[in-house]
Amino acid sequence: MVSLASAGAKPSSQLYVWNSAGNKACAVDLPFNQMVSGPGWDKNASIMAASSTDRQFVYNHCVAYIQFSIAADSPEVVSFSVTGGDGELVASRVTVVIPDDNAITVTEKTPASTQSPTATLTMENGGAFPQGAYYVAILPKTYSKGLVLTAVDQEGTTYKKEIKTELVMSMGAVGVAGTVQRNGIGASI
C-alpha cells in the first residue's frame, strides 16, 4: 500500500505560492513590519508547516523569535526592532520545504522587496505596548554578526542592546531579550 502524504503551511494570508513541481514546497512572506493587538506575536509572521500521511497535522514553527517584555515601570514603548548585525537579513520571502518526514527546511528567497535587515513590531492601534510578553519573528539562521535590539518610546527615546557575537536562531527558537527598562533592554540571549 502506498502512503500519500499531505502538507500544510500557515498563515495562508502570507502564502505566496505552492511549488508546482510537487515536492511540497511553498514560498511564504515573513513580514518585516509586524503588528499585534496585545501581548503575543503577529499571526501573519508566525509561519508554521507540517506534513502528514494520516491527515493529523503537527505544525512546526518555521521562524525564530526574539521575545521582549513590557512591565508596569517600562517606558511607553511604541516599537521594537530586531536588526541583523552588519546588514544581515532578518525578514524575507522564504522557501519552506515540507518533506514527508516533517524535517522542514527554510531558505531565504528573493525578491528584494520582501527582504529587510530589520523586523519591527508595533501595536495595530499605533499606541504603546501594554504590559506583557511580545515576540518579533525573524529568519531561522545563524546571525554571524549578532543582532541589534531597539525599542522606541512615545517621546522618540531609543533603548538599545547590541549582541555582537554569533547567534544561532533555529526554527522555533526563542531568544529572550528581557524587559524594556528606562536604562536599556535587559538582554539575556
Side-chain angles (χ1 to χ4, degrees):
M1 179 171 171
V2 175
S3 174
L4 297 175
S6 297
K10 55 184 179 175
S12 60
S13 62
Q14 296 305 105
L15 184 63
Y16 177 69
V17 66
W18 276 102
N19 186 331
S20 60
N23 64 355
K24 297 187 197 100
C26 60
V28 184
D29 290 342
L30 172 57
F32 47 85
N33 291 317
Q34 302 173 23
M35 290 189 281
V36 292
S37 58
W41 54 87
D42 183 332
K43 64 181 182 253
N44 291 323
S46 181
I47 300 168
M48 301 179 79
S51 73
S52 174
T53 56
D54 62 6
R55 303 277 187 197
Q56 294 188 24
F57 291 91
V58 176
Y59 280 85
N60 295 295
H61 290 270
C62 297
V63 295
Y65 301 91
I66 299 297
Q67 185 253 353
F68 67 96
S69 297
I70 301 294
D73 59 347
S74 292
E76 298 216 337
V77 175
V78 295
S79 72
F80 190 95
S81 299
V82 178
T83 302
D86 205 26
E88 285 186 272
L89 294 179
V90 298
S92 172
R93 179 165 294 157
V94 295
T95 298
V96 179
V97 178
I98 312 164
D100 292 348
D101 65 0
N102 225 15
I104 297 164
T105 58
V106 175
T107 55
E108 296 169 22
K109 188 175 168 75
T110 55
S113 64
T114 68
Q115 299 176 330
S116 178
T118 301
T120 302
L121 186 69
T122 57
M123 291 294 295
E124 289 175 350
N125 66 9
F129 294 107
Q131 289 181 38
Y134 297 86
Y135 301 82
V136 180
I138 61 174
L139 293 169
K141 66 181 196 175
T142 298
Y143 291 92
S144 60
K145 303 289 184 179
L147 295 170
V148 178
L149 312 176
T150 307
V152 178
D153 71 15
Q154 288 182 325
E155 280 75 49
T157 303
T158 300
Y159 308 88
K160 219 176 230 192
K161 177 69 178 184
E162 291 187 52
I163 301 156
K164 296 182 178 184
T165 59
E166 182 177 276
L167 189 60
V168 178
M169 297 296 297
S170 57
M171 291 186 298
V174 177
V176 179
T179 302
V180 179
Q181 302 163 333
R182 297 200 182 279
N183 62 353
I185 301 169
S188 61
I189 296 176

